[in-house]
Amino acid sequence: MLQSVRTLTGVVASLRTYYGRRGHRDGLDRLYARFVRPGDLVFDVGAHVGDRVAAFRRLGARVVAVEPQPVLARVLRLLYGRDRAVVVEPMLLGAHAGTAELLINTANPTVSTASAAFVAAAAGAPGWEAERWTARRAVPMTTLDALIARHGVPAFVKIDVEGFEAEVLAGLSAPVAALSFEFTTIQRDVARAALARCAALGYAKFDASLGESHRLMHGGWQTAARMAEWIDGLPHAANSGDVYAIR
């Protein structure tokens, strides 16, 4: 019962955070308009409560929302279930198809993860002291390649999966037009692995945003090596951001 209350409280907090601010909504629209056009197909991998789904729909895109947490998948269906341009896929993405263990932070569902290394990196890290992963659940896992075979080739893929980003990219065998992946300062090695995978896929131009700034930082496209150097040089307090990649 207590766990259910914590989960509900965490979901409500996320809904308020991500849907309650006009500036957040406008910033998302401006940022994603660089990569998404009306009629495009977008994959939102780690859709959480769907604020990015809302942005992609405002831009006229069709969306496949991938979210393995059952309670959040239900929220997505409640919000977008009547929208024929949105498909909810209640699963993980990774390097191969199968089953994986999801480590669930019931009080803060946005940082639930399939990466035990992420949880280990967060333990004792400044700013992460209050986070607890108190539940585990086996969930189905598929790949970006399989999702593309089922839904078509997206124009843009957004990946935000708390330390599992390189695993998701390992399940992609050919580049799409553009993608983004989250990075954190507690796991810079994951960012480097994701950048290396992007470079191997043929992506040559990179930029990044910090936190929820919704603003590209560099004013011009960078190489993968330069982006890795920039992430390595960030202070711990920068916490997280997203790398954007195009060919």
Side-chain angles (χ1 to χ4, degrees):
M1 181 66 175
L2 181 58
Q3 183 168 298
S4 296
V5 171
R6 286 175 176 167
T7 299
L8 179 60
T9 301
V11 170
V12 170
S14 290
L15 288 167
R16 287 176 176 169
T17 297
Y18 293 112
Y19 285 95
R21 295 174 292 151
R22 181 59 184 267
H24 176 72
R25 166 181 167 157
D26 292 347
L28 288 179
D29 291 358
R30 285 192 298 271
L31 177 60
Y32 288 127
R34 294 171 174 261
F35 306 101
V36 177
R37 297 289 181 266
D40 281 350
L41 175 63
V42 174
F43 289 176
D44 184 349
V45 182
H48 191 43
V49 292
D51 59 312
R52 265 66 174 178
V53 175
F56 298 139
R57 290 297 292 125
R58 289 192 296 271
L59 294 171
R62 297 171 292 121
V63 185
V64 175
V66 182
E67 177 52 59
Q69 296 181 71
V71 65
L72 296 186
R74 288 196 291 272
V75 169
L76 291 169
R77 291 192 179 103
L78 179 65
L79 293 173
Y80 302 105
R82 295 184 179 181
D83 187 342
R84 294 184 178 181
V86 177
V87 176
V88 178
E89 292 278 15
M91 59 186 62
L92 276 168
L93 295 190
H96 53 79
T99 302
E101 185 175 62
L102 184 65
L103 309 175
I104 300 173
N105 187 320
T106 53
N108 187 10
T110 189
V111 294
S112 295
T113 179
S115 171
F118 178 83
V119 172
W128 292 83
E129 296 90 345
E131 303 300 340
R132 299 290 184 272
W133 288 263
T134 57
R136 297 169 180 261
R137 187 184 184 99
V139 296
M141 182 168 66
T142 189
T143 67
L144 275 171
D145 280 348
L147 211 64
I148 288 169
R150 185 151 65 244
H151 296 285
V153 179
F156 182 74
V157 177
K158 167 247 164 187
I159 305 169
D160 181 350
V161 288
E162 311 309 316
F164 213 58
E165 288 78 12
E167 291 292 317
V168 172
L169 287 166
L172 180 65
S173 60
V176 301
L179 61 79
S180 70
F181 64 85
E182 188 190 40
F183 68 87
T184 64
T185 54
I186 62 171
Q187 275 197 313
R188 301 176 206 244
D189 57 325
V190 174
R192 290 192 294 272
L195 282 164
R197 179 60 186 161
C198 285
L201 285 167
Y203 292 98
K205 300 176 181 179
F206 301 85
D207 208 333
S209 64
L210 282 176
E212 294 288 345
S213 67
H214 313 315
R215 180 174 61 86
L216 296 180
M217 300 294 297
H218 296 278
W221 295 107
Q222 309 295 309
T223 64
R226 177 69 188 92
M227 187 58 55
E229 290 173 3
W230 178 76
I231 292 172
D232 282 343
L234 288 172
H236 173 79
N239 190 47
S240 66
D242 296 278
V243 170
Y244 293 79
I246 62 173
R247 288 182 281 174

